[in-house]
Short mmCIF file of all heavy atoms in Angstrom, two decimals:
data_model
loop_
_atom_site.label_atom_id
_atom_site.label_comp_id
_atom_site.label_asym_id
_atom_site.label_seq_id
_atom_site.Cartn_x
_atom_site.Cartn_y
_atom_site.Cartn_z
N MET A 1 4.94 1.52 -42.38
CA MET A 1 4.71 0.08 -42.44
C MET A 1 5.51 -0.66 -41.36
O MET A 1 5.12 -1.74 -40.95
CB MET A 1 5.10 -0.40 -43.84
CG MET A 1 4.79 -1.84 -44.09
SD MET A 1 3.02 -2.06 -44.18
CE MET A 1 2.95 -3.78 -44.38
N ASN A 2 6.60 -0.06 -40.91
CA ASN A 2 7.40 -0.71 -39.88
C ASN A 2 6.70 -0.74 -38.53
O ASN A 2 7.03 -1.58 -37.69
CB ASN A 2 8.75 -0.01 -39.73
CG ASN A 2 9.64 -0.24 -40.94
OD1 ASN A 2 9.48 -1.25 -41.62
ND2 ASN A 2 10.56 0.67 -41.19
N ILE A 3 5.75 0.17 -38.31
CA ILE A 3 5.05 0.20 -37.03
C ILE A 3 4.20 -1.06 -36.82
O ILE A 3 3.95 -1.46 -35.68
CB ILE A 3 4.19 1.49 -36.92
CG1 ILE A 3 3.71 1.68 -35.48
CG2 ILE A 3 3.00 1.43 -37.84
CD1 ILE A 3 4.80 2.03 -34.54
N ILE A 4 3.78 -1.70 -37.90
CA ILE A 4 2.98 -2.92 -37.79
C ILE A 4 3.78 -4.04 -37.11
O ILE A 4 3.22 -4.88 -36.42
CB ILE A 4 2.44 -3.35 -39.17
CG1 ILE A 4 1.25 -4.29 -39.02
CG2 ILE A 4 3.46 -4.08 -39.99
CD1 ILE A 4 -0.03 -3.58 -38.98
N PHE A 5 5.10 -4.03 -37.29
CA PHE A 5 5.94 -5.05 -36.67
C PHE A 5 6.07 -4.82 -35.17
O PHE A 5 6.47 -5.72 -34.43
CB PHE A 5 7.33 -5.07 -37.31
CG PHE A 5 7.30 -5.47 -38.76
CD1 PHE A 5 7.79 -4.62 -39.74
CD2 PHE A 5 6.77 -6.69 -39.14
CE1 PHE A 5 7.76 -4.98 -41.07
CE2 PHE A 5 6.74 -7.07 -40.46
CZ PHE A 5 7.23 -6.21 -41.44
N VAL A 6 5.74 -3.65 -34.71
CA VAL A 6 5.74 -3.36 -33.28
C VAL A 6 4.35 -3.58 -32.69
O VAL A 6 4.21 -4.13 -31.60
CB VAL A 6 6.21 -1.91 -33.02
CG1 VAL A 6 6.09 -1.56 -31.56
CG2 VAL A 6 7.62 -1.72 -33.52
N LEU A 7 3.32 -3.17 -33.43
CA LEU A 7 1.96 -3.25 -32.89
C LEU A 7 1.43 -4.67 -32.80
O LEU A 7 0.68 -4.99 -31.86
CB LEU A 7 1.03 -2.40 -33.75
CG LEU A 7 1.24 -0.89 -33.66
CD1 LEU A 7 0.28 -0.17 -34.59
CD2 LEU A 7 1.06 -0.42 -32.24
N ILE A 8 1.78 -5.53 -33.72
CA ILE A 8 1.28 -6.91 -33.68
C ILE A 8 1.80 -7.65 -32.45
O ILE A 8 1.01 -8.28 -31.74
CB ILE A 8 1.60 -7.65 -35.00
CG1 ILE A 8 0.70 -7.08 -36.11
CG2 ILE A 8 1.37 -9.15 -34.85
CD1 ILE A 8 0.97 -7.67 -37.47
N PRO A 9 3.09 -7.61 -32.13
CA PRO A 9 3.53 -8.29 -30.89
C PRO A 9 2.93 -7.68 -29.63
O PRO A 9 2.62 -8.40 -28.67
CB PRO A 9 5.05 -8.13 -30.90
CG PRO A 9 5.40 -7.90 -32.31
CD PRO A 9 4.24 -7.19 -32.91
N ILE A 10 2.74 -6.37 -29.63
CA ILE A 10 2.11 -5.74 -28.46
C ILE A 10 0.67 -6.21 -28.31
O ILE A 10 0.21 -6.51 -27.21
CB ILE A 10 2.21 -4.20 -28.56
CG1 ILE A 10 3.66 -3.77 -28.38
CG2 ILE A 10 1.33 -3.53 -27.52
CD1 ILE A 10 3.89 -2.29 -28.62
N ALA A 11 -0.06 -6.30 -29.41
CA ALA A 11 -1.44 -6.77 -29.37
C ALA A 11 -1.50 -8.23 -28.91
O ALA A 11 -2.38 -8.61 -28.12
CB ALA A 11 -2.09 -6.62 -30.74
N ILE A 12 -0.59 -9.04 -29.39
CA ILE A 12 -0.55 -10.45 -28.97
C ILE A 12 -0.23 -10.54 -27.47
O ILE A 12 -0.82 -11.35 -26.76
CB ILE A 12 0.47 -11.23 -29.82
CG1 ILE A 12 -0.03 -11.35 -31.26
CG2 ILE A 12 0.75 -12.60 -29.23
CD1 ILE A 12 0.97 -11.93 -32.23
N LEU A 13 0.66 -9.71 -27.01
CA LEU A 13 0.99 -9.69 -25.58
C LEU A 13 -0.23 -9.30 -24.74
O LEU A 13 -0.49 -9.92 -23.70
CB LEU A 13 2.14 -8.72 -25.32
CG LEU A 13 2.63 -8.62 -23.89
CD1 LEU A 13 3.26 -9.93 -23.45
CD2 LEU A 13 3.61 -7.48 -23.75
N PHE A 14 -0.99 -8.30 -25.17
CA PHE A 14 -2.21 -7.91 -24.46
C PHE A 14 -3.23 -9.04 -24.43
O PHE A 14 -3.90 -9.27 -23.42
CB PHE A 14 -2.83 -6.67 -25.08
CG PHE A 14 -2.16 -5.39 -24.69
CD1 PHE A 14 -2.20 -4.30 -25.55
CD2 PHE A 14 -1.49 -5.25 -23.49
CE1 PHE A 14 -1.58 -3.11 -25.21
CE2 PHE A 14 -0.87 -4.06 -23.14
CZ PHE A 14 -0.92 -2.99 -24.00
N VAL A 15 -3.38 -9.77 -25.51
CA VAL A 15 -4.32 -10.90 -25.56
C VAL A 15 -3.88 -11.99 -24.61
O VAL A 15 -4.71 -12.59 -23.90
CB VAL A 15 -4.46 -11.41 -27.01
CG1 VAL A 15 -5.21 -12.72 -27.04
CG2 VAL A 15 -5.16 -10.38 -27.87
N ILE A 16 -2.60 -12.27 -24.57
CA ILE A 16 -2.09 -13.31 -23.67
C ILE A 16 -2.30 -12.90 -22.21
O ILE A 16 -2.74 -13.71 -21.38
CB ILE A 16 -0.61 -13.60 -23.96
CG1 ILE A 16 -0.47 -14.30 -25.31
CG2 ILE A 16 0.02 -14.43 -22.86
CD1 ILE A 16 0.96 -14.44 -25.79
N ILE A 17 -2.03 -11.64 -21.88
CA ILE A 17 -2.24 -11.16 -20.51
C ILE A 17 -3.72 -11.23 -20.14
O ILE A 17 -4.07 -11.66 -19.03
CB ILE A 17 -1.68 -9.74 -20.35
CG1 ILE A 17 -0.16 -9.77 -20.41
CG2 ILE A 17 -2.15 -9.11 -19.04
CD1 ILE A 17 0.49 -8.40 -20.45
N ALA A 18 -4.60 -10.83 -21.05
CA ALA A 18 -6.04 -10.89 -20.77
C ALA A 18 -6.50 -12.33 -20.57
O ALA A 18 -7.32 -12.61 -19.69
CB ALA A 18 -6.81 -10.22 -21.91
N ALA A 19 -6.00 -13.25 -21.36
CA ALA A 19 -6.38 -14.66 -21.22
C ALA A 19 -5.90 -15.22 -19.89
O ALA A 19 -6.63 -15.95 -19.21
CB ALA A 19 -5.82 -15.47 -22.38
N VAL A 20 -4.68 -14.88 -19.50
CA VAL A 20 -4.14 -15.35 -18.22
C VAL A 20 -4.98 -14.81 -17.06
O VAL A 20 -5.33 -15.55 -16.13
CB VAL A 20 -2.65 -14.96 -18.07
CG1 VAL A 20 -2.17 -15.16 -16.64
CG2 VAL A 20 -1.80 -15.75 -19.04
N LEU A 21 -5.31 -13.53 -17.11
CA LEU A 21 -6.14 -12.95 -16.05
C LEU A 21 -7.54 -13.56 -16.01
O LEU A 21 -8.11 -13.77 -14.94
CB LEU A 21 -6.23 -11.43 -16.22
CG LEU A 21 -4.95 -10.66 -15.92
CD1 LEU A 21 -5.14 -9.19 -16.24
CD2 LEU A 21 -4.55 -10.85 -14.48
N PHE A 22 -8.10 -13.85 -17.17
CA PHE A 22 -9.43 -14.46 -17.23
C PHE A 22 -9.41 -15.86 -16.61
O PHE A 22 -10.27 -16.20 -15.80
CB PHE A 22 -9.92 -14.51 -18.67
CG PHE A 22 -11.23 -15.20 -18.84
CD1 PHE A 22 -12.40 -14.59 -18.40
CD2 PHE A 22 -11.30 -16.45 -19.41
CE1 PHE A 22 -13.62 -15.22 -18.54
CE2 PHE A 22 -12.53 -17.08 -19.56
CZ PHE A 22 -13.69 -16.47 -19.13
N PHE A 23 -8.43 -16.67 -16.99
CA PHE A 23 -8.37 -18.02 -16.43
C PHE A 23 -8.01 -18.02 -14.95
O PHE A 23 -8.44 -18.88 -14.20
CB PHE A 23 -7.41 -18.90 -17.23
CG PHE A 23 -7.97 -19.28 -18.58
CD1 PHE A 23 -7.37 -18.84 -19.74
CD2 PHE A 23 -9.12 -20.05 -18.68
CE1 PHE A 23 -7.89 -19.17 -20.98
CE2 PHE A 23 -9.66 -20.39 -19.91
CZ PHE A 23 -9.04 -19.94 -21.06
N TRP A 24 -7.24 -17.02 -14.50
CA TRP A 24 -6.97 -16.88 -13.07
C TRP A 24 -8.27 -16.58 -12.32
O TRP A 24 -8.52 -17.14 -11.25
CB TRP A 24 -5.96 -15.77 -12.82
CG TRP A 24 -5.88 -15.42 -11.37
CD1 TRP A 24 -5.19 -16.08 -10.41
CD2 TRP A 24 -6.57 -14.35 -10.71
NE1 TRP A 24 -5.40 -15.47 -9.19
CE2 TRP A 24 -6.24 -14.41 -9.35
CE3 TRP A 24 -7.42 -13.35 -11.15
CZ2 TRP A 24 -6.74 -13.50 -8.43
CZ3 TRP A 24 -7.92 -12.46 -10.23
CH2 TRP A 24 -7.57 -12.54 -8.89
N ALA A 25 -9.09 -15.70 -12.89
CA ALA A 25 -10.35 -15.35 -12.25
C ALA A 25 -11.28 -16.56 -12.18
O ALA A 25 -12.00 -16.74 -11.20
CB ALA A 25 -11.02 -14.20 -12.99
N ILE A 26 -11.28 -17.39 -13.20
CA ILE A 26 -12.11 -18.59 -13.17
C ILE A 26 -11.61 -19.55 -12.09
O ILE A 26 -12.41 -20.09 -11.32
CB ILE A 26 -12.12 -19.28 -14.55
CG1 ILE A 26 -12.90 -18.42 -15.53
CG2 ILE A 26 -12.71 -20.67 -14.46
CD1 ILE A 26 -12.86 -18.94 -16.95
N ARG A 27 -10.31 -19.76 -12.01
CA ARG A 27 -9.77 -20.68 -11.00
C ARG A 27 -9.93 -20.14 -9.59
O ARG A 27 -10.04 -20.90 -8.64
CB ARG A 27 -8.30 -20.95 -11.27
CG ARG A 27 -8.09 -21.84 -12.46
CD ARG A 27 -6.68 -22.35 -12.54
NE ARG A 27 -6.55 -23.18 -13.71
CZ ARG A 27 -5.58 -23.07 -14.59
NH1 ARG A 27 -4.63 -22.17 -14.43
NH2 ARG A 27 -5.52 -23.86 -15.63
N ALA A 28 -9.95 -18.82 -9.43
CA ALA A 28 -10.12 -18.21 -8.11
C ALA A 28 -11.60 -18.08 -7.74
O ALA A 28 -11.92 -17.48 -6.72
CB ALA A 28 -9.45 -16.84 -8.07
N GLU A 29 -12.48 -18.63 -8.56
CA GLU A 29 -13.93 -18.66 -8.33
C GLU A 29 -14.52 -17.26 -8.20
O GLU A 29 -15.39 -17.01 -7.38
CB GLU A 29 -14.26 -19.51 -7.11
CG GLU A 29 -13.84 -20.96 -7.26
CD GLU A 29 -14.12 -21.79 -6.04
OE1 GLU A 29 -14.55 -21.23 -5.01
OE2 GLU A 29 -13.93 -23.00 -6.11
N GLN A 30 -14.06 -16.34 -9.03
CA GLN A 30 -14.58 -14.98 -9.02
C GLN A 30 -15.97 -14.90 -9.63
O GLN A 30 -16.71 -13.97 -9.37
CB GLN A 30 -13.64 -14.06 -9.79
CG GLN A 30 -12.28 -13.94 -9.16
CD GLN A 30 -12.33 -13.18 -7.85
OE1 GLN A 30 -13.01 -12.19 -7.74
NE2 GLN A 30 -11.61 -13.67 -6.88
N PHE A 31 -16.34 -15.87 -10.47
CA PHE A 31 -17.61 -15.82 -11.17
C PHE A 31 -18.63 -16.80 -10.61
O PHE A 31 -19.63 -17.11 -11.25
CB PHE A 31 -17.40 -16.14 -12.66
CG PHE A 31 -16.45 -15.19 -13.34
CD1 PHE A 31 -15.26 -15.66 -13.85
CD2 PHE A 31 -16.75 -13.86 -13.45
CE1 PHE A 31 -14.37 -14.80 -14.48
CE2 PHE A 31 -15.88 -12.99 -14.08
CZ PHE A 31 -14.69 -13.46 -14.59
N GLU A 32 -18.42 -17.31 -9.40
CA GLU A 32 -19.30 -18.33 -8.85
C GLU A 32 -20.66 -17.79 -8.41
O GLU A 32 -21.67 -18.38 -8.67
CB GLU A 32 -18.62 -19.03 -7.68
CG GLU A 32 -17.49 -19.93 -8.09
CD GLU A 32 -17.94 -21.07 -8.98
OE1 GLU A 32 -18.99 -21.68 -8.71
OE2 GLU A 32 -17.23 -21.34 -9.97
N ASP A 33 -20.69 -16.69 -7.71
CA ASP A 33 -21.94 -16.17 -7.16
C ASP A 33 -22.14 -14.73 -7.61
O ASP A 33 -21.83 -13.79 -6.90
CB ASP A 33 -21.91 -16.26 -5.64
CG ASP A 33 -23.27 -15.99 -5.02
OD1 ASP A 33 -24.25 -15.92 -5.78
OD2 ASP A 33 -23.34 -15.83 -3.80
N LEU A 34 -22.67 -14.57 -8.81
CA LEU A 34 -22.83 -13.23 -9.38
C LEU A 34 -24.07 -12.52 -8.85
O LEU A 34 -24.15 -11.30 -8.86
CB LEU A 34 -22.88 -13.31 -10.90
CG LEU A 34 -21.63 -13.85 -11.57
CD1 LEU A 34 -21.84 -13.96 -13.07
CD2 LEU A 34 -20.44 -12.98 -11.28
N ASP A 35 -25.07 -13.27 -8.38
CA ASP A 35 -26.32 -12.66 -7.92
C ASP A 35 -26.21 -12.08 -6.52
O ASP A 35 -26.93 -11.14 -6.17
CB ASP A 35 -27.44 -13.68 -7.94
CG ASP A 35 -27.77 -14.11 -9.35
OD1 ASP A 35 -27.59 -13.28 -10.27
OD2 ASP A 35 -28.19 -15.27 -9.54
N ARG A 36 -25.35 -12.61 -5.69
CA ARG A 36 -25.26 -12.16 -4.30
C ARG A 36 -24.83 -10.70 -4.20
O ARG A 36 -25.41 -9.93 -3.45
CB ARG A 36 -24.28 -13.04 -3.53
CG ARG A 36 -24.14 -12.64 -2.07
CD ARG A 36 -23.22 -13.58 -1.36
NE ARG A 36 -21.97 -13.74 -2.07
CZ ARG A 36 -20.78 -13.34 -1.61
NH1 ARG A 36 -20.70 -12.78 -0.44
NH2 ARG A 36 -19.70 -13.53 -2.31
N GLN A 37 -23.84 -10.30 -4.96
CA GLN A 37 -23.36 -8.93 -4.87
C GLN A 37 -24.39 -7.95 -5.42
O GLN A 37 -24.53 -6.85 -4.91
CB GLN A 37 -22.04 -8.78 -5.64
CG GLN A 37 -20.89 -9.52 -5.01
CD GLN A 37 -20.58 -9.02 -3.62
OE1 GLN A 37 -20.67 -7.84 -3.34
NE2 GLN A 37 -20.23 -9.94 -2.74
N GLY A 38 -25.12 -8.34 -6.44
CA GLY A 38 -26.13 -7.45 -6.99
C GLY A 38 -27.31 -7.25 -6.06
O GLY A 38 -27.89 -6.17 -5.99
N SER A 39 -27.68 -8.28 -5.33
CA SER A 39 -28.82 -8.16 -4.43
C SER A 39 -28.42 -7.68 -3.04
O SER A 39 -29.28 -7.30 -2.25
CB SER A 39 -29.55 -9.49 -4.31
OG SER A 39 -28.72 -10.45 -3.70
N SER A 40 -27.14 -7.66 -2.73
CA SER A 40 -26.73 -7.24 -1.40
C SER A 40 -26.95 -5.75 -1.17
O SER A 40 -27.08 -5.32 -0.03
CB SER A 40 -25.26 -7.59 -1.16
OG SER A 40 -24.43 -6.80 -1.99
N ILE A 41 -27.02 -4.97 -2.23
CA ILE A 41 -27.26 -3.54 -2.05
C ILE A 41 -28.72 -3.25 -1.76
O ILE A 41 -29.06 -2.15 -1.33
CB ILE A 41 -26.79 -2.73 -3.27
CG1 ILE A 41 -27.57 -3.13 -4.50
CG2 ILE A 41 -25.31 -2.90 -3.49
CD1 ILE A 41 -27.34 -2.22 -5.68
N LEU A 42 -29.59 -4.22 -1.99
CA LEU A 42 -31.02 -4.00 -1.78
C LEU A 42 -31.45 -4.26 -0.34
O LEU A 42 -32.49 -3.76 0.09
CB LEU A 42 -31.82 -4.90 -2.72
CG LEU A 42 -31.58 -4.68 -4.21
CD1 LEU A 42 -32.35 -5.71 -5.01
CD2 LEU A 42 -31.97 -3.28 -4.61
N PHE A 43 -30.70 -5.05 0.39
CA PHE A 43 -31.11 -5.46 1.73
C PHE A 43 -30.07 -5.02 2.76
O PHE A 43 -28.87 -5.08 2.51
CB PHE A 43 -31.26 -6.98 1.80
CG PHE A 43 -32.19 -7.52 0.75
CD1 PHE A 43 -31.70 -8.22 -0.34
CD2 PHE A 43 -33.55 -7.28 0.83
CE1 PHE A 43 -32.55 -8.71 -1.30
CE2 PHE A 43 -34.40 -7.77 -0.13
CZ PHE A 43 -33.90 -8.48 -1.20
N ASP A 44 -30.55 -4.62 3.93
CA ASP A 44 -29.66 -4.28 5.03
C ASP A 44 -29.39 -5.53 5.84
O ASP A 44 -30.30 -6.21 6.30
CB ASP A 44 -30.29 -3.23 5.94
CG ASP A 44 -30.38 -1.88 5.29
OD1 ASP A 44 -29.55 -1.61 4.39
OD2 ASP A 44 -31.25 -1.08 5.66
N ASP A 45 -28.14 -5.85 6.02
CA ASP A 45 -27.77 -7.02 6.79
C ASP A 45 -27.65 -6.72 8.28
O ASP A 45 -27.91 -7.55 9.10
CB ASP A 45 -26.43 -7.59 6.31
CG ASP A 45 -26.56 -8.22 4.94
OD1 ASP A 45 -27.68 -8.59 4.56
OD2 ASP A 45 -25.53 -8.35 4.26
N GLU A 46 -27.26 -5.51 8.60
CA GLU A 46 -27.01 -5.17 9.99
C GLU A 46 -28.01 -4.13 10.46
O GLU A 46 -28.47 -3.29 9.71
CB GLU A 46 -25.60 -4.60 10.15
CG GLU A 46 -24.52 -5.54 9.75
CD GLU A 46 -23.15 -4.89 9.86
OE1 GLU A 46 -23.10 -3.72 10.31
OE2 GLU A 46 -22.17 -5.54 9.53
N GLU A 47 -28.33 -4.22 11.74
CA GLU A 47 -29.15 -3.20 12.36
C GLU A 47 -28.28 -1.98 12.63
O GLU A 47 -27.12 -2.12 13.01
CB GLU A 47 -29.71 -3.72 13.70
CG GLU A 47 -30.62 -4.91 13.55
CD GLU A 47 -32.01 -4.49 13.09
OE1 GLU A 47 -32.42 -3.36 13.41
OE2 GLU A 47 -32.66 -5.30 12.42
N PRO A 48 -28.80 -0.79 12.45
CA PRO A 48 -27.98 0.38 12.78
C PRO A 48 -27.70 0.41 14.28
O PRO A 48 -28.59 0.18 15.10
CB PRO A 48 -28.81 1.57 12.35
CG PRO A 48 -30.16 1.04 12.05
CD PRO A 48 -30.07 -0.44 11.89
N SER A 49 -26.48 0.63 14.63
CA SER A 49 -26.11 0.61 16.04
C SER A 49 -26.36 2.00 16.64
O SER A 49 -26.05 3.02 16.06
CB SER A 49 -24.65 0.23 16.20
OG SER A 49 -23.84 1.19 15.58
N THR A 50 -26.96 1.97 17.83
CA THR A 50 -27.18 3.23 18.55
C THR A 50 -26.18 3.26 19.68
O THR A 50 -26.29 2.55 20.67
CB THR A 50 -28.62 3.30 19.11
OG1 THR A 50 -28.85 2.15 19.92
CG2 THR A 50 -29.62 3.33 17.97
N LYS A 51 -25.18 4.06 19.50
CA LYS A 51 -24.14 4.17 20.52
C LYS A 51 -24.54 5.22 21.53
O LYS A 51 -24.95 6.31 21.18
CB LYS A 51 -22.81 4.56 19.87
CG LYS A 51 -22.26 3.52 18.92
CD LYS A 51 -21.06 4.03 18.21
CE LYS A 51 -19.84 3.80 19.07
NZ LYS A 51 -18.61 4.21 18.40
N GLU A 52 -24.43 4.84 22.78
CA GLU A 52 -24.68 5.80 23.84
C GLU A 52 -23.40 6.55 24.11
O GLU A 52 -22.30 6.00 24.04
CB GLU A 52 -25.17 5.08 25.09
CG GLU A 52 -26.54 4.47 24.90
CD GLU A 52 -27.09 3.98 26.22
OE1 GLU A 52 -26.66 4.49 27.27
OE2 GLU A 52 -27.93 3.09 26.19
N PRO A 53 -23.50 7.82 24.47
CA PRO A 53 -22.27 8.58 24.76
C PRO A 53 -21.59 8.01 25.98
O PRO A 53 -22.20 7.46 26.89
CB PRO A 53 -22.75 9.98 25.01
CG PRO A 53 -24.23 9.97 24.97
CD PRO A 53 -24.67 8.62 24.55
N GLN A 54 -20.27 8.14 25.99
CA GLN A 54 -19.51 7.64 27.13
C GLN A 54 -19.75 8.56 28.32
O GLN A 54 -20.32 9.65 28.22
CB GLN A 54 -18.03 7.61 26.78
CG GLN A 54 -17.74 6.62 25.67
CD GLN A 54 -16.27 6.65 25.29
OE1 GLN A 54 -15.51 7.46 25.79
NE2 GLN A 54 -15.88 5.75 24.39
N ASP A 55 -19.33 8.10 29.50
CA ASP A 55 -19.58 8.84 30.73
C ASP A 55 -18.98 10.24 30.71
O ASP A 55 -19.56 11.19 31.22
CB ASP A 55 -19.03 8.07 31.95
CG ASP A 55 -19.84 6.83 32.18
OD1 ASP A 55 -21.03 6.80 31.80
OD2 ASP A 55 -19.29 5.86 32.74
N ASP A 56 -17.81 10.42 30.14
CA ASP A 56 -17.18 11.72 30.16
C ASP A 56 -17.79 12.69 29.14
O ASP A 56 -17.55 13.89 29.21
CB ASP A 56 -15.67 11.59 29.95
CG ASP A 56 -15.35 10.93 28.62
OD1 ASP A 56 -16.23 10.26 28.05
OD2 ASP A 56 -14.19 11.07 28.16
N GLN A 57 -18.60 12.19 28.23
CA GLN A 57 -19.20 13.05 27.23
C GLN A 57 -20.65 13.47 27.59
O GLN A 57 -21.23 14.29 26.94
CB GLN A 57 -19.23 12.36 25.88
CG GLN A 57 -17.85 12.16 25.30
CD GLN A 57 -17.88 11.44 23.98
OE1 GLN A 57 -18.93 10.93 23.58
NE2 GLN A 57 -16.75 11.38 23.31
N ARG A 58 -21.21 12.88 28.62
CA ARG A 58 -22.58 13.22 29.02
C ARG A 58 -22.60 14.56 29.75
O ARG A 58 -21.69 14.91 30.49
CB ARG A 58 -23.15 12.15 29.96
CG ARG A 58 -23.43 10.86 29.24
CD ARG A 58 -24.08 9.89 30.17
NE ARG A 58 -24.26 8.62 29.49
CZ ARG A 58 -24.66 7.52 30.10
NH1 ARG A 58 -24.93 7.56 31.40
NH2 ARG A 58 -24.81 6.43 29.43
N GLU A 59 -23.68 15.28 29.55
CA GLU A 59 -23.83 16.53 30.26
C GLU A 59 -24.41 16.28 31.64
O GLU A 59 -25.24 15.40 31.83
CB GLU A 59 -24.75 17.47 29.48
CG GLU A 59 -24.17 17.90 28.16
CD GLU A 59 -25.09 18.87 27.45
OE1 GLU A 59 -25.97 19.45 28.08
OE2 GLU A 59 -24.90 19.00 26.23
N PRO A 60 -24.02 17.05 32.64
CA PRO A 60 -24.51 16.80 34.01
C PRO A 60 -25.94 17.20 34.19
O PRO A 60 -26.57 17.89 33.54
CB PRO A 60 -23.61 17.66 34.89
CG PRO A 60 -22.82 18.53 34.00
CD PRO A 60 -23.00 18.05 32.59
#
């Protein structure tokens, strides 16, 4: 029964930490644009670059 006196403060501490992190994320605008990251994997933004070999790597 004595373990309950340890577990309750630990649980309250975890809830307080989770609440602080949640409100920090809201203030840091982490939840502003949720659709952009999900759709960014569907489209290519950059053209694949074709690098030509440098002069010292070309065969004669």
Side-chain angles (χ1 to χ4, degrees):
M1 185 70 183
N2 290 335
I3 193 70
I4 200 91
F5 296 121
V6 174
L7 291 178
I8 289 177
I10 291 174
I12 291 172
L13 182 66
F14 281 152
V15 169
I16 290 171
I17 290 172
V20 167
L21 289 175
F22 177 71
F23 287 115
W24 169 80
I26 290 174
R27 287 193 181 132
E29 298 178 354
Q30 296 291 318
F31 302 116
E32 289 298 318
D33 190 11
L34 298 176
D35 294 330
R36 180 177 51 114
Q37 293 298 324
S39 65
S40 68
I41 63 170
L42 300 175
F43 306 107
D44 290 334
D45 290 338
E46 299 177 3
E47 297 281 331
S49 62
T50 56
K51 295 173 85 177
E52 292 190 24
Q54 295 177 356
D55 291 333
D56 60 340
Q57 292 179 350
R58 290 185 184 172
E59 294 182 18

